């Protein structure tokens, strides 16, 4: 057992401190004031502000995280009906991100994507979405009972990477759905993609709105777009009705925390709120929520927050491009797209005769350099405010080591096109029917022609068996 090793101030001291703390973000201030009240904690969690913190974890992270690990207390706020510091924090976030309203999420962008789909699509409605959408979009389709109309994303076989969708693809998908008598309730676009490729949301939102359809943007990888002139424009600034951002990915809140923003008049706010309520814990971590508020505060107090990260990424790309056998992904791989996140750096290693998985193993195991994403022909690095010059030096040396160690081999080059893993398969059951159908386990090699009953995606995962619909 560990003891709570904090110094409490007396009542007068606490009052003075509260005034002195006025500069703090509202939720951080509220957490601090709550801890300073010396209350008797007959509430959850059982460690009671660290009194019974499990020793190995307390030795690792200290007692302070436990001190502030509380859930809904009267002196904090209500997660689903905020009236105090959480409401203030949400309003400040909405102001910063240019939203009509913002929700703080403790189930990541995943729960925001699911809620946005459930808030716009009723059972039987059609949702238009790219074939490479995140699994949370598919689970959102399953929960809502919507029927997907897939768009096959642009694909580059040299890189084995898919990009976004174009306005004309969205237009065609709406036209085809309507021609077959379907009611299109929402268009869902992932922008940027994991590799940082952005779709033309300004045009896509115009297409959607001209047809009275709301646009949901999975902006999990683009929460930082508002904060540097070299960044692409954020989804809300381009007319999206909903944007869901993983604040924990490039910005600096704790893992698992995201924000959902709405704009315009097309989204039923009450229905969305109920869906978010249905999908999230009734015991959110207030430390997590405070981290969202703190991440917002960090940006609102530093106009140059991303200058260093953007400079480092630009320098890194210049240095890496000079290394023989290594390529850096840019928009020439996707001529239909004109914007890319400057902080997402994807490195192609196929000319060295290596797969992305092999390169990752050497970088990680031998050199301690850990990419964010690993693919068949590349690894992807995420730059952010926490990236340092030393990180870039180690990265460039590591890639030089790869280049020296593996000889440059000749590789057949191919061009952007629509072939590859995202060919549009025939949909014999919609995802909800397939999810709830009885299943049988079958060896992967015998699966051809059967109906898949589980999620499979284009990753390093090697399937020996699949669950198929009986
Ligand atoms: C495109 C995309 N959307 C949504 C998500 C889910 O985000 P979160 O991890 O915040 O739930 C991810 C996660 O990697 C993602 O890549």
């Amino acid at each position: 057992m560990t003891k709570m090793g904090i110094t409490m101030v007396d009542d007068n001291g606490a009052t003075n401190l509260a005034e002195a703390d006025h500069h703090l973000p509202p939720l951080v201030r509220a957490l601090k004031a709550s801890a300073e009240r010396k209350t008797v904690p007959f509430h959850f969690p059982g460690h009671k502000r660290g009194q019974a913190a499990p020793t190995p974890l307390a030795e690792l992270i200290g007692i302070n995280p436990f001190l502030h690990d509380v859930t809904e207390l009267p002196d904090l706020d209500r997660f689903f009906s905020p009236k105090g510091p959480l409401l203030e924090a949400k309003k400040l976030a909405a102001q910063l991100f240019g939203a009509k309203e913002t929700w703080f999420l403790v189930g990541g962008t995943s729960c925001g994507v699911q809620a946005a789909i459930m808030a716009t699509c009723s059972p039987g409605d059609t949702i238009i979405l790219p074939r490479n959408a995140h699994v949370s979009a598919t689970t959102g389709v399953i929960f809502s009972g919507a029927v997907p109309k897939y768009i096959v994303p642009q694909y580059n076989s040299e890189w084995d990477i898919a990009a976004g969708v174009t306005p004309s693809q969205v237009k065609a998908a709406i036209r085809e759905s309507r021609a077959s008598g379907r009611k299109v309730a929402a268009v869902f676009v992932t922008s940027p993609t994991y590799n940082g490729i952005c779709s033309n949301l300004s045009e896509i939102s115009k297409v959607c709105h001209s047809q009275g359809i709301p646009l949901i943007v999975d902006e999990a990888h683009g929460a930082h777009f508002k904060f540097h002139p070299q960044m692409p424009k954020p989804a809300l600034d381009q007319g999206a009705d909903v944007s869901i951002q993983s604040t924990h990915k490039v910005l600096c809140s704790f893992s698992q925390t995201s924000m959902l923003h709405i704009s315009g008049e097309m989204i039923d706010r009450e229905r969305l709120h109920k869906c978010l309520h249905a999908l999230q814990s009734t015991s959110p971590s207030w430390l997590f929520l405070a981290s969202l508020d703190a991440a917002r505060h960090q940006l609102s107090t530093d106009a140059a927050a991303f200058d260093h990260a953007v400079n480092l990424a630009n320098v890194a790309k210049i240095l890496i491009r000079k290394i023989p056998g290594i390529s850096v992904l840019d928009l020439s791989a996707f001529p239909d797209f004109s914007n890319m996140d400057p902080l997402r750096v994807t490195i192609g290693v196929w000319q060295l005769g290596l797969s992305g998985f092999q390169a990752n193993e050497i970088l990680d195991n031998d050199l301690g350099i850990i990419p964010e994403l690993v693919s068949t022909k590349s690894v992807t690095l995420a730059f952010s405010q926490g990236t340092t010059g030393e990180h870039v030096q180690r990265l460039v040396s590591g890639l030089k080591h790869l280049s020296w160690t593996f000889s440059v081999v000749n590789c057949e080059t191919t061009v952007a096109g629509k072939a590859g893993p995202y060919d549009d398969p025939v949909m014999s059951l919609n995802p909800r029917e397939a999810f709830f159908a009885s299943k049988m386990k079958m060896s992967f090699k015998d699966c051809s022609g059967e109906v898949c009953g589980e999620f499979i995606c284009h990753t390093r995962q090697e399937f020996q068996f699949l669950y198929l619909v009986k």
Side-chain angles (χ1 to χ4, degrees):
M1 299 281 187
T2 35
K3 290 285 173 217
M4 196 160 58
I6 54 156
T7 313
M8 295 293 194
V9 291
D10 62 19
D11 286 348
N12 289 338
T15 309
N16 292 338
L17 257 182
E19 277 167 24
D21 290 342
H22 210 70
H23 64 286
L24 292 175
L27 274 178
V28 176
R29 192 171 65 226
L31 271 188
K32 184 167 185 277
S34 174
E36 286 167 352
R37 280 187 60 222
K38 277 198 218 174
T39 50
V40 181
F42 280 107
H43 55 74
F44 301 144
H47 61 68
K48 308 290 180 186
R49 290 192 180 265
Q51 293 285 356
T55 306
L57 187 57
E59 281 176 0
L60 183 68
I61 65 171
I63 206 72
N64 262 349
F66 290 95
L67 173 64
H68 299 291
D69 175 39
V70 287
T71 183
E72 286 188 333
L73 295 178
D75 55 0
L76 293 174
D77 210 339
R78 309 290 296 180
F79 185 40
F80 294 110
S81 50
K83 294 189 170 53
L86 177 56
L87 181 63
E88 197 184 338
K90 277 167 45 116
K91 283 185 172 167
L92 288 167
Q95 208 176 333
L96 182 70
F97 288 92
K100 183 165 100 175
E101 185 169 352
T102 292
W103 280 261
F104 284 10
L105 312 178
V106 290
T109 290
S110 301
C111 82
V113 163
Q114 291 161 345
I117 294 175
M118 289 167 69
T120 47
C121 301
S122 299
D125 285 350
T126 289
I127 180 165
I128 292 171
L129 74 169
R131 206 68 179 84
N132 60 340
H134 186 255
V135 63
S136 55
T138 306
T139 46
V141 166
I142 291 168
F143 295 164
S144 66
V147 180
K149 162 80 178 163
Y150 290 114
I151 297 181
V152 179
Q154 301 272 310
Y155 171 75
N156 183 299
S157 55
E158 183 179 41
W159 282 89
D160 193 19
I161 282 175
V165 298
T166 63
S168 56
Q169 285 182 301
V170 172
K171 206 182 225 171
I174 296 173
R175 195 178 51 240
E176 284 163 24
S177 302
R178 294 219 164 130
S180 54
R182 291 160 70 167
K183 178 190 155 208
V184 181
V187 168
F188 179 95
V189 173
T190 307
S191 183
T193 61
Y194 220 133
N195 300 104
I197 311 290
C198 298
S199 296
N200 183 345
L201 297 176
S202 297
E203 286 306 312
I204 292 174
S205 66
K206 277 186 208 151
V207 169
C208 293
H209 294 162
S210 70
Q211 304 291 322
I213 301 168
L215 172 65
I216 303 167
V217 178
D218 175 350
E219 207 174 21
H221 294 274
H224 53 298
F225 280 3
K226 192 102 186 162
F227 307 107
H228 193 276
Q230 275 184 37
M231 308 277 185
K233 260 193 187 177
L236 287 189
D237 293 9
Q238 297 191 65
D241 301 281
V242 186
S243 149
I244 312 107
Q245 302 177 329
S246 293
T247 321
H248 68 93
K249 289 197 195 301
V250 178
L251 303 185
C252 301
S253 62
F254 286 141
S255 290
Q256 201 172 309
T257 60
S258 288
M259 292 189 196
L260 181 149
H261 311 288
I262 60 169
S263 185
E265 303 302 322
M266 295 190 80
I267 300 299
D268 179 344
R269 186 258 171 221
E270 289 309 312
R271 180 168 164 177
L272 175 63
H273 185 71
K274 285 195 175 78
C275 295
L276 286 168
H277 197 163
L279 290 165
Q280 294 188 91
S281 171
T282 50
S283 310
S285 157
W286 284 74
L287 205 47
F288 283 14
L289 295 171
S291 83
L292 281 167
D293 191 23
R296 184 275 312 156
H297 180 261
Q298 185 180 30
L299 295 164
S300 50
T301 51
D302 182 4
F306 276 94
D307 285 5
H308 190 52
V310 170
N311 284 341
L312 283 177
N314 289 342
V315 168
K317 280 180 263 189
I318 292 169
L319 295 175
I320 296 166
R321 281 199 177 95
K322 291 183 183 156
I323 303 175
I326 301 232
S327 328
V328 178
L329 182 72
D330 60 28
L331 287 169
S332 63
F334 295 105
D336 289 345
F337 294 81
S338 52
N339 268 311
M340 196 173 168
D341 179 2
L343 297 187
R344 209 46 68 91
V345 181
T346 296
I347 313 267
V349 290
W350 66 89
Q351 293 175 75
L352 298 173
L354 291 174
S355 71
F357 306 124
Q358 291 166 322
N360 175 60
E361 231 169 272
I362 298 161
L363 289 172
D364 183 347
N365 296 349
D366 301 355
L367 305 167
I369 299 163
I370 308 182
E372 166 55 35
L373 176 70
V374 185
S375 306
T376 53
K377 296 183 167 190
S378 63
V379 295
T380 301
L381 314 159
F383 282 64
S384 70
Q385 284 163 286
T387 307
T388 67
E390 194 223 323
H391 296 163
V392 174
Q393 274 172 10
R394 281 183 63 183
L395 169 68
V396 173
S397 311
L399 294 173
K400 282 182 178 163
H401 167 80
L402 275 188
S403 172
W404 291 327
T405 312
F406 298 91
S407 55
V408 179
V409 294
N410 271 337
C411 286
E412 224 179 86
T413 53
T414 38
V415 289
K418 280 192 182 174
Y422 297 106
D423 273 352
D424 201 10
V426 176
M427 193 173 70
S428 20
L429 284 180
N430 75 41
R432 184 181 174 90
E433 291 164 337
F435 187 82
F436 290 110
S438 319
K439 311 280 192 319
M440 57 185 178
K441 192 173 172 185
M442 206 184 248
S443 140
F444 188 70
K445 62 181 171 32
D446 299 326
C447 287
S448 177
E450 301 289 339
V451 178
C452 185
E454 64 171 308
F455 302 110
I456 55 173
C457 64
H458 182 51
T459 64
R460 74 162 80 195
Q461 206 173 349
E462 280 175 16
F463 295 96
Q464 289 192 324
F465 296 97
L466 274 185
Y467 282 91
L468 303 174
V469 173
K470 274 187 187 165

